[in-house]
Amino acid sequence: MSRPELRLSARTLRDNIAAVTSRLDGCELMLVLKDDAYGHGLTWTVETAVQAGVTSFGSYDVRGGLDVRRLVGPEARVFAWATSTDAEIDEALLQGIDLGVGTVEYLHRIIARAEALGAVARVHLKIDTGLHRNGVLPEDWPGAIAQARAAEAAGHLSLEGIWSHIAEASDREDDDAQAVFLDAVRAAGGTGPTPAALHLTASAASWWRPELRGTVARIGAFCYGIRSADGPELEGVRPVARLVAPVARVEEGRAVIEVGAFDGLPSTLVGARVGTPAGARVLERIEPFFAQIEGWAGLSVGDEVTIFGPGEAGESSATTLAERIDTVGEEILTRLSPRIRRVPVD
Ligand SMILES: *Cc1c(COP(=O)(O)O)cnc(C)c1O
């Protein structure tokens, strides 16, 4: 190893997917792939997940969804929820991408494009359950459903799902959000068949609050082994990624590694402990392109330093590192620059 690398364990990703799937107890896993699969790399993640039996993928935008479609073939479900341009809608319709729809305006455009292309749009309508972050307001819901049903009758739309996103911050708010969600599902059911995909929960609520789950759970973090900040360990789930760097030079008895703030290592992490061949040592300085670590006996160029990773004498995961600076593990992983090679190890 001559450069810093993010080592990726396919075995761990598969094990995590199995643990999450088993926990979901029949609810379908939709693996969320936003931010280049939480920094792990889209292609590697999708290929590994397919081996683990995943058939449903959530990609933030249509562009990412098209990449996923190329990797998974025509059968798997690919869901993209960002509001898209008409050109993107056309691509999505041609490639059978399921579209998450959170505004009536977007629904109109999708129906218009489906009519123009003679295609059937696969739509999951989003109800705003309180986050006010893209979602049809309850008062607009009956109208949106009526339009979706009319387009369905005309052969241009298939109402595949109803969904929302919850804060996962307090049980009470999540319960209230679920009540709004279930009202929306009932209203849709009153006008035609209830869509098969009902999804409300992400990692934390899917794992800890089974009563909130619908038929599908959109899960990113826990599949990558990123537990919630200040949350407990999860049975059967371990971090997939390990960030390692060789000692590039030794300066005044200290180790220098070529990972810095511009590579995504927040400078506020000074004081954290990292793993070295001699055990945990303190990260003393973080510059734009390198970092300096307290030395150890026998320190030499090429020694391997683990900035985070399971089972090391240092911080055990991106989450434990993140907790030091009051953020979440996702934040650490998704900021790592593409300059840091992603290297599959098993
Ligand atoms: C990121 C995201 C998820 C997944 O959240 P995790 O906590 O990582 O499981 C699910 N749904 C939406 C809409 C998201 O943006």
Side-chain angles (χ1 to χ4, degrees), residues 13-331:
L13 179 55
R14 289 194 299 265
D15 287 351
N16 291 351
I17 287 169
V20 167
T21 304
S22 142
R23 183 88 179 187
L24 288 180
D25 196 22
C27 170
E28 182 189 329
L29 167 66
M30 178 188 288
L31 178 63
V32 174
L33 298 163
K34 68 185 174 208
D35 293 322
D36 198 28
Y38 291 54
H40 295 71
L42 186 71
T43 302
W44 175 83
T45 300
V46 170
E47 285 172 352
T48 307
V50 166
Q51 288 165 15
V54 177
T55 57
S56 176
F57 297 89
S59 159
Y60 172 70
D61 58 8
V62 166
R63 245 175 86 200
L66 295 170
D67 290 339
V68 178
R69 174 63 76 214
R70 275 189 283 279
L71 291 165
V72 298
E75 296 301 325
R77 187 207 299 279
V78 181
F79 175 65
W81 66 83
T83 301
S84 311
T85 64
D86 284 5
E88 287 167 332
I89 293 170
D90 286 0
E91 288 268 27
L93 295 177
L94 294 173
Q95 296 299 325
I97 308 286
D98 288 21
L99 294 169
V101 180
T103 68
V104 172
E105 185 272 339
Y106 188 35
L107 179 63
H108 283 164
R109 285 198 291 120
I110 290 171
I111 293 170
R113 293 315 307 157
E115 282 171 3
L117 292 181
V120 181
R122 300 169 57 87
V123 165
H124 300 229
L125 261 190
K126 182 178 186 187
I127 175 81
D128 181 0
T129 50
L131 276 187
H132 309 305
R133 247 190 8 205
N134 179 266
V136 176
L137 295 171
E139 58 265 35
D140 298 331
W141 186 253
I145 287 289
Q147 283 178 18
R149 292 299 188 197
E152 208 167 36
H156 294 304
L157 186 146
S158 167
L159 190 58
E160 297 289 318
I162 294 174
W163 69 295
S164 191
H165 197 51
I166 56 174
E168 298 182 322
S170 89
D171 282 359
R172 245 212 54 207
E173 279 171 86
D174 290 349
D175 289 341
D176 292 348
Q178 186 195 29
V180 175
F181 181 73
L182 293 177
D183 279 346
V185 172
R186 262 190 298 276
T191 64
T194 300
L198 305 175
H199 41 121
L200 182 62
T201 56
S203 286
S206 298
W207 187 276
W208 302 111
R209 309 250 1 240
E211 66 280 12
L212 297 185
R213 292 195 296 247
T215 60
V216 172
R218 301 183 310 272
I219 300 190
F222 287 9
C223 287
Y224 302 99
I226 306 168
R227 67 171 164 79
S228 309
D230 303 317
E233 296 291 339
L234 309 160
E235 206 182 313
V237 169
R238 284 169 303 136
V240 167
R242 174 194 300 275
L243 179 60
V244 292
V247 172
R249 30 181 218 283
V250 177
E251 279 174 5
E252 294 172 357
R254 296 183 167 85
V256 176
I257 55 171
E258 294 184 329
V259 182
F262 290 177
D263 302 303
L265 200 63
S267 51
T268 43
L269 281 175
V270 164
R273 289 145 69 83
V274 298
T276 78
R281 289 293 183 278
V282 175
L283 194 52
E284 293 180 331
R285 241 172 95 191
I286 299 178
E287 295 292 328
F289 293 106
F290 68 88
Q292 200 178 55
I293 296 152
E294 177 192 6
W296 56 91
L299 159 63
S300 20
V301 168
D303 282 359
E304 190 169 297
V305 171
T306 298
I307 298 154
F308 61 76
E312 290 290 325
E315 298 296 351
S316 60
S317 71
T319 303
T320 53
L321 207 56
E323 283 166 349
R324 293 185 57 91
I325 54 172
D326 287 329
T327 182
V328 293
E330 292 89 319
E331 192 76 15

